[in-house]
Amino acid sequence: MSITREKIIELGESLIRSKGYNAFSYQDISSELGIKNAAVHYYFPTKENLGTSIVRTNIQRFEEMTGNMNSRGFDEWHQLETFIKIYTKSHREQKLCIVGSLGPDINTLSETTQAELRKMSEIILKWLTDTLSNGREKALFSFKEEPQLKALLIISSLIASLQLARLINKIEYKSFCMAIMEDLRPQKRGDVELDK
Amino acid sequence: MSITREKIIELGESLIRSKGYNAFSYQDISSELGIKNAAVHYYFPTKENLGTSIVRTNIQRFEEMTGNMNSRGFDEWHQLETFIKIYTKSHREQKLCIVGSLGPDINTLSETTQAELRKMSEIILKWLTDTLSNGREKALFSFKEEPQLKALLIISSLIASLQLARLINKIEYKSFCMAIMEDLRPQKRGDVELDK
DNA sequence: TTGCGAACTTACTTAGTAGTAAGTATATTT
DNA sequence: AAATATACTTACTACTAAGTAAGTTCGCAA
């Protein structure tokens, strides 16, 4: 594969996750990479094309990650920890995740990019649903909601907290993520609060 | 106040919440209202100006709502229910909330609009933190996290679930919101699951 | 009735956007 | 050596965006 092509995808993703899809231009990419506008069009004829490729790359990356975790025998707790690390890394970079940045722009994306984004969301939701479900069966997790609903609650929290962390300084992202993990921990001893 | 001015704010807000800030134009507004481009500039010289006014209007509306609830003596449970209804209404309209739609675009907004958006986020977070805190003292709510952390978890869930609901059809928004309320309900009988 | 301000329109500028057609340099194959 | 493909650049088109200056209409106050 072409190295320029890969750089365009990487930079495009970065721009989407920090400025949003409708705020970045081919100029942003070409000037940053020291090439001309038309060179970007050489690899990605249209912006829709680039957007779709970026989402596809992210789907691929996600599936590689979950595949790796399975083949390495990570248990569900470990898998969830690894998944959440994606978000803490995004937070350090002051960026959103792809779903959280493209989601609000869904109505302005082409049909194909929309479809790819929906696909990505569903893949992530399905993975987390299955992971929670399996983890609960093994007593690694404890929660009372349906796994899909719980998955949705967790994903939503992760997505929007990245957005909110850029708005409100006093947010401690780490403790936020730890609260999500803690909530799932079993042996809660009846959920009774100790007096203070 | 001018009725045209109000219509512009209302329509601008609607456009932001469905297409995003960087995807809507003065043309969108003028053509919809049957006026000319320059007429919008007459009321709001710049787009930054319009954006800031829209956020300010939302802050005002939120503070009126919480003020009303307090003066009418709503208890904390009732207040939270009313707050969540804002989001179920947004969901029915297939729109995001202002924070959820402008948040991802924060880096492309003017300093003043940014400041106003941050202010709005902080006002909402503070209100929910206080409501959760007071409600727990009265034993209307039960949760083990710090009130601010719990508030953040709930707000994040609400914001991003609006985004995700437009991506994934199978999401039942109502049960999602109910799960958030249920999670706060006291007398959980030790949080032990019944065998199935 | 005249003057004036509010609420616009007309007609424009400037700047940035995606996108394209045609050309060029370089490396690789035939 | 000639042909071809890759990876671009040059130079542009068409369009849309925000924003502005100057003019118009109309109701109301002096």
Side-chain angles (χ1 to χ4, degrees), chain B residues 32-66:
Chain B
E32 174 79 30
L33 295 185
I35 56 179
K36 296 294 159 180
N37 193 24
V40 186
H41 282 284
Y42 170 73
Y43 289 102
F44 303 96
T46 66
K47 197 177 178 184
E48 148 186 3
N49 207 295
L50 175 56
T52 306
S53 297
I54 290 171
V55 180
R56 285 211 179 115
T57 304
N58 272 267
I59 291 177
Q60 214 175 314
R61 202 186 301 161
F62 180 80
E63 287 184 329
E64 270 168 28
M65 184 195 73
T66 54

